[in-house]
Amino acid sequence: MKNNKLQILTNGIIKENPILVLILGTCPFLAVTTQASNAIGMGAAVTFVLLCSNIMISLLRKVISDKVRIPCYIVVIASFVTLVQMIVKAFLPDLDKALGLYLPLIVVNCIILGRAEMFANKNNPLDSALDAIGMGVGYTLAMLAMASIREIFGAGTWFGIELPVLIDNNISIMTMAPGGFAIFGILIAIINKASNGKAIKKKDFSCEGCPSAAACNGQNCAEKREAAAK
Amino acid sequence: MKELLAIVMAAILVNNYVLSQFLGICPFLGVSKKLDQAAGMSVAVIFVMLLATAVTYPIQYFVLNNLGLKYLQTIVFILVIAALVQLVEIILKKYIPALHASLGVYLPLITTNCAVLGVCISNIDNYLVEQAGFGGGFVQAMFNSLGSGLGFLLAMVLFSGVRSRVDKCKCPECFKGMPITLISAAIVSVSFMGFAGIVENLLG
């Protein structure tokens, strides 16, 4: 039993890392990883929202009727995001400025709605909390890795500390938009190679990674596929 | 007029939502395999962006700001957008089935699209000025939404072309699928960097 709990916790960090394996929540991942400190801030904010909403949804899972569950989840998630926005604005104004638009956009982050639908509404609050922590840590670590690569090579600094040699030879495209796409692609390819293709569950987009899989249960894609077949 | 044109041009080319601000990446990577699907999705996005701005901007101005409820912005906007998209889908299904057949399947996908919520929030941040009154920023906000939507369309259509070629090419096993798609997105994104400064030079 204890093993089981540990497995839930570590699942999100390695085996089902939300970014690098499930490929969920890519928008903020690409946008805020220009500096390691921003990545940590964003990761912490996402983890907090994920933890609170997972616990809350798990507690309410018997109360919420199945038909209206998605709007209910969105309300719960949006409330916690508002809370985080207020806290960050009040205590960390610099971070607020750096994250900007991407802080309220945690609401539409696929990881949070995805975990609510896939895990929290089927499991008890303790398991859901562990799952949220695992997923949150996995997300933060992936962000930190990406941000470190981009900041060290792109700006020649790490957490704002200037690094010798690199600071004079920075490759500034790495902190810009194209660098984000390219490094993300290369990271996934490395993980693919390292695990002999076992790690990446989906080489392509499927319902598993679709932000609205929760809402549609594959109906949309089925309709689309039919339309395409015609 | 010049100002509005500059807003649209800047939103399409310079601050392209997908390629320089990373909003709406999921549909960009997911639905860009075929040209017709990419175009259909983008048209639906343009439609929803315009509609969402037309609804959320007055709500922010007349309700949230008036009553001192600015902090409820995130909750109110996401719920309004979600409800709106559902409503539009129902209306289309009932009264314009032809349009529903081509756009309808994409509409539910857009509810949780960060580009739509993103454009609503950034419109409020950039164009809503309390002292200027309602008309002070509403038109600019609508044109910004139009530009952002058109930018999304441009990125999707261009990328679906690139992708159909890339998918037929040989590449190392570990790069197949997502990685090579992301790297081609990076190259498309480089081409958009070339537009930096174009609006200032043309219309400034």
Side-chain angles (χ1 to χ4, degrees):
Chain A
M1 197 60 202
K2 206 174 180 188
N3 245 338
N4 195 11
K5 297 254 184 284
L6 194 69
Q7 204 189 346
I8 292 172
L9 187 66
T10 52
N11 212 3
I13 301 176
I14 303 157
K15 214 174 108 201
E16 287 189 4
N17 188 301
I19 288 279
L20 298 171
V21 181
L22 299 178
I23 316 186
L24 290 173
T26 42
C27 304
F29 179 69
L30 290 166
V32 304
T33 48
T34 48
Q35 279 183 349
S37 50
N38 291 349
I40 294 278
M42 188 70 187
V46 169
T47 308
F48 176 78
V49 175
L50 190 56
L51 180 62
C52 296
S53 68
N54 249 12
I55 293 175
M56 188 61 106
I57 287 162
S58 175
L59 286 171
L60 292 173
R61 70 187 189 279
K62 297 208 173 80
V63 183
I64 296 174
S65 137
D66 215 34
K67 274 183 189 158
V68 291
R69 64 182 197 285
I70 301 294
C72 293
Y73 298 163
I74 292 178
V75 175
V76 170
I77 295 166
S79 318
F80 287 117
V81 171
T82 307
L83 203 67
V84 169
Q85 267 182 285
M86 286 171 156
I87 295 170
V88 172
K89 260 206 184 89
F91 297 108
L92 302 161
D94 288 343
L95 186 66
D96 181 57
K97 221 176 260 168
L99 296 182
L101 188 57
Y102 297 96
L103 203 54
L105 288 182
I106 296 175
V107 168
V108 281
N109 193 319
C110 336
I111 297 171
I112 298 171
L113 195 60
R115 285 333 278 176
E117 175 74 14
M118 284 188 268
F119 199 92
N121 76 344
K122 297 184 196 96
N123 292 283
N124 64 37
L126 180 65
D127 285 353
S128 305
L130 288 175
D131 177 70
I133 293 170
M135 284 286 161
V137 171
Y139 187 73
T140 312
L141 286 179
M143 284 207 61
L144 182 62
M146 170 93 162
S148 300
I149 296 173
R150 286 180 74 182
E151 198 187 341
I152 289 172
F153 292 105
T157 58
W158 196 50
F159 283 102
I161 305 161
E162 294 187 0
L163 301 170
V165 185
L166 286 169
I167 188 125
D168 302 320
N169 300 298
N170 59 338
I171 314 162
S172 53
I173 198 161
M174 282 185 126
T175 57
M176 291 186 237
F181 282 116
I183 296 167
F184 189 25
I186 292 167
L187 270 182
I188 298 176
I190 290 171
I191 288 177
N192 248 345
K193 185 83 189 167
S195 64
N196 280 328
K198 275 180 207 143
I200 303 297
K201 285 201 173 144
K202 56 180 214 304
K203 290 203 166 150
D204 222 322
F205 268 78
S206 62
C207 282
E208 206 178 337
C210 172
S212 34
C216 86
N217 293 322
Q219 287 162 1
N220 288 312
C221 309
E223 278 175 39
K224 229 185 296 169
R225 250 177 259 132
E226 272 168 35
K230 274 175 205 163
Chain B
M1 198 57 219
K2 213 173 173 185
E3 188 206 348
L4 297 178
L5 192 62
I7 288 174
V8 174
M9 291 281 281
I12 296 176
L13 297 175
V14 185
N15 298 322
N16 190 292
Y17 259 43
V18 179
L19 293 169
S20 69
Q21 302 201 35
F22 302 117
L23 292 172
I25 299 285
C26 295
F28 177 65
L29 297 174
V31 199
S32 59
K33 264 195 172 162
K34 287 213 180 77
L35 182 63
D36 55 335
Q37 286 181 4
M41 176 80 184
S42 316
V43 173
V45 166
I46 296 176
F47 181 61
V48 173
M49 271 183 174
L50 284 171
L51 206 64
T53 307
V55 173
T56 52
Y57 191 94
I59 287 181
Q60 176 81 21
Y61 187 82
F62 290 114
V63 182
L64 298 183
N65 282 7
N66 255 357
L67 302 175
L69 293 173
K70 274 184 191 168
Y71 62 91
L72 282 179
Q73 192 193 49
T74 312
I75 301 183
V76 170
F77 278 21
I78 186 77
L79 285 179
V80 165
I81 293 170
L84 196 71
V85 172
Q86 291 293 323
L87 190 72
V88 168
E89 207 207 339
I90 293 168
I91 294 173
L92 281 186
K93 204 171 196 169
K94 177 93 169 114
Y95 295 106
I96 321 174
L99 193 61
H100 181 262
S102 54
L103 287 191
V105 289
Y106 304 106
L107 282 175
L109 288 168
I110 293 169
T111 318
T112 52
N113 183 340
C114 44
V116 174
L117 185 62
V119 82
C120 292
I121 295 176
S122 68
N123 275 338
I124 303 296
D125 290 344
N126 296 335
Y127 300 113
L128 189 109
V129 185
E130 295 263 337
Q131 293 80 15
F134 179 69
F138 185 66
V139 180
Q140 284 91 327
M142 287 304 284
F143 273 88
N144 183 41
S145 303
L146 178 67
S148 305
L150 289 174
F152 187 81
L153 173 75
L154 182 65
M156 288 284 272
V157 168
L158 283 181
F159 192 58
S160 73
V162 172
R163 212 173 155 181
S164 65
R165 296 294 289 267
V166 168
D167 280 353
K168 288 194 181 75
C169 293
K170 277 183 190 163
C171 69
E173 188 62 32
C174 62
F175 271 93
K176 268 189 187 148
M178 278 308 287
I180 195 71
T181 309
L182 283 164
I183 287 168
S184 25
I187 296 166
V188 175
S189 166
V190 170
S191 70
F192 269 72
M193 282 176 67
F195 290 120
I198 190 173
V199 174
E200 289 83 353
N201 286 328
L202 274 181
L203 302 161

